[in-house]
Amino acid sequence: MIINWPTERGDRMLPVYSLLFLLWLTSLSGFANATEIVILQSSELPSYEQAVLGFKAAIPATTKVKEYNLNGQLTRGREIGKSLRASPPDLILAVGLKAAIAAKLEIFDQPVVFCLVLTPDAYGLPAPNQTGIAVHPPPGAQLTALRSVIPHRRRIGVLYDEEYSGNFIRHAHRAAKQQGLELVAVAIRGQDDIPQAVRALLPTIDALWLIQDQTVISESAIPFYLESTLDAKVPLFTFSSTLVQQGALGALVVDAWTVGQQAARIAQSRLKEPTTATSSIQAPEHPQLAMNVSSAEYLGLAPSPETMRLAHQRFGGPGVMAKKPGAASDLIP
Amino acid sequence: MVKLLTPNRSPFSLTLRTKLVLSTAVILIIACLVLGWLFIQQQVRSAAEGLRQSGTLLAQHLAHMGRFSVVAGDTHRLSHLIQEILAVDPVAYAAVISSDGELQAGFGKGTWAEQFSVQPSGQRRFSLTNVTWPPPLHTAPDAPLISAVQLKGDQPMLRHNIEFTLEELLSIAGGFELPIVYDVIVRIPQRQFMTTRDPALDLTLDERVDKPQAEGLQRTIAPALVQVGLSTSHLQHILRQLWWQATAITISIMATGLLIALLLARRMTTPLQELTHAATRLAAGETVSPVSGHTGDEIGTLTGVFNAMAMTLQAREHELRELTRTLEGRIEARTKELVAANAKLQELDRRKSFFVSTASHELRTPLTSMKVHLANLRDGIDGAVTDDQWRSLTRVEANLSRLQGLIDELLDLSTIEMGQAALHLEPVVLGNVIGKAIEDLHPLASERRVRIVLSLPSDLPIASADPNKLHQIMINLLHNAIKFSPIRSTVDVEVTSLRNGELKISVRDVGPGLAPEEIDKVFQPFYRAPATPKQAKGAGLGLTIAKLLVELHHSRLWVETTLGEGSCFYFVLRPVVSKQELPLLQYFPIAGTQRV
């Protein structure tokens, strides 16, 4: 092999080449200093997509973002986690339960922010390197919202599964006591207990509070709650705007896009101060009050103008309309 | 003529009116039955469909009202709702069945109350579940499953056909009530919720590490079914009333239709009957007044044409009658003229016969005198004659004899025609008379060398005849036969007895015969056939005299002849009927066949 080195003409161009090389090295060092964030998304739930969009909208444009979708498979999340350990990013955002669990199992040194995990404590979350955002507002906030809607109702009934919501209920008891409310909590072990529990509970309470408990909430049980409470004229306070739309009186709801933005702010804070203590769960910011004015009217309630002003979402659901005799209905033949 | 126009009708033939009414009745009956049946079928379907729709609505109502009670296991409320449904009249039973076929709540009325029984385990059970479970529900959640169930004894049976059959409809119409119910099964509805873009609800419902748990939860609150039975008792009552109403309406329509058909047929056939009656009278020659027919249809046109034809016929008949009346007068006048002419001719004929008779009689006397004197001359009594004179005298004598014969014949003919020929009947032995005639003509036959053969039966009866006239008849017939027979031929004379006892005499020759047109002329006076030989003598009166003489015996003379082969003359005589005449007979022994 024969190598032809630069000739005389090449000798004259040597300073130019040296300058260009220096410029390239400079740009490389700048690129190497850009923040890299990896987003692990559990599946393609619309809520996850909204949270990711909110997150990306809040981070700086220079931040390098890599996205991975687990497609609902935890094993895939663990494989991705292992590969990330080889070239770790500056921060990992885990959206959803399976993404958070995969990060907990495979990422030990890098900061992790997770969101949209329903019961993190049931799965040992957060890990020491993790910071999470709760899905639901704290019990006190929810009860405050409930009290603003039905200020004169004291006995608040609630169903829960000790496995999922034991801690939450204990916090709720304290919060209720502080606010002068009486929380009537009925523990159930499965969905078979729901009908009997509701039948026993409704005559003794002023309002029913549905919490995000996966034993309490199912597609089959939701209409039962809606119809039973409306039939018994007991206000139903929930966590979902959909349920409000279907006939529940009110709810304190969390927006996924807002959660994403909140996660972005936590991520930036963690990147600026990597040594700050982590392993915490933060309450979701800016929960919104939803109300069904038709249900309120049917129940004989008159929310204050202030409450109505605070209600970001107002509905007139068909559940109440169905109970009005003579009105158009999809239930009575 | 009238009979031809009105032919005899068969006892099974129908009148036009009957045919019209019958055909209309058949069409009406078929149309009414078909329409009535279609109407009843449509009403049955409509009523049954209405009942099934009511049942579906009731079942859906129960499913809606009890859907949360099912989830909550609130059997008290379910029972209350079912009792409310049972209060509706046609509802026979109502039940809420869980997805695994267990009865959650249910009650029945009447016989269907017994179909709900308590099991040894303490649970209640609906017997119909054994038949209808598992129900083949449609994929559409709101679509009902409707079937027909019949109680046979105490056991419910699923019917293959949801509609009533013809036999069942007839039974219902006959007053029987069938224990059939419509069984309606609907799902208890499940409400769908929108969870899109609701993160809290999404996570609560979907974020599970262990999916099998969620499916198990879903299964524990699986939807149940509502089963409602609708009794068809009231429906059958309505159908029974409908059946009889339809039958009454059909019969009314048929009766009205038949009445209208009868009136129309009468309107059509009455003018035809009038026409027929008028035509019959017209055919019988009666005067017919114009038939009234004012309808503008074909029958009216026919009536008009008939009236015109009748008027024309009557005018023609009047003309014909007038012509007939005139013709009778003319015929009467002509007849009178003919009678007068005939009388004149008879008078002339009588005068002619009288003249001929007188002339013949007057001619015979001098002629006889002439023959006497001539015989004297020829015999030489008045002097000797030479041979030439003798031959001349002989020839004159022969001519005188011929003239005398002619005069005799004319005299006989005129005597007969004038009715002066008296008939003296007496028993006659035919063999003697015929033999005498043959003997008298022997010279002529010998001259012509003609053989005469007489054939007589052995038992020949005695004939009743005038022997002289019979002799004359035979002389004339034999003379005619000999005259026309060729030389050396035979003339056959035969007498035969007929079955009625009469005697038939025939004279046959083998002469030239007669042409057919000559047969009637041969018996006319002075007629000479074209085939008469030139040497034959005679005036043509022999056969005429023979015919008249035979007719004088109240018989007739006829001839059978073939041109070129000969002729045969026949006549018949009656036998003697009175035995008093027999002794006067003189018998001549004559053999069976006499030859000359």
Side-chain angles (χ1 to χ4, degrees), chain B residues 266-289:
Chain B
R266 186 178 177 185
R267 186 179 172 82
M268 288 172 66
T269 54
T270 300
L272 289 177
Q273 284 178 340
E274 289 179 0
L275 276 176
T276 306
H277 182 65
T280 306
R281 288 180 60 198
L282 192 65
E286 298 178 20
T287 303
V288 176
S289 56

Side-chain angles (χ1 to χ4, degrees), chain B residues 150-165:
Chain B
Q150 186 170 6
L151 273 180
K152 289 189 175 176
D154 290 335
Q155 296 299 319
M157 304 289 287
L158 197 62
R159 287 162 54 87
H160 297 291
N161 190 1
I162 196 168
E163 305 289 353
F164 290 112
T165 63

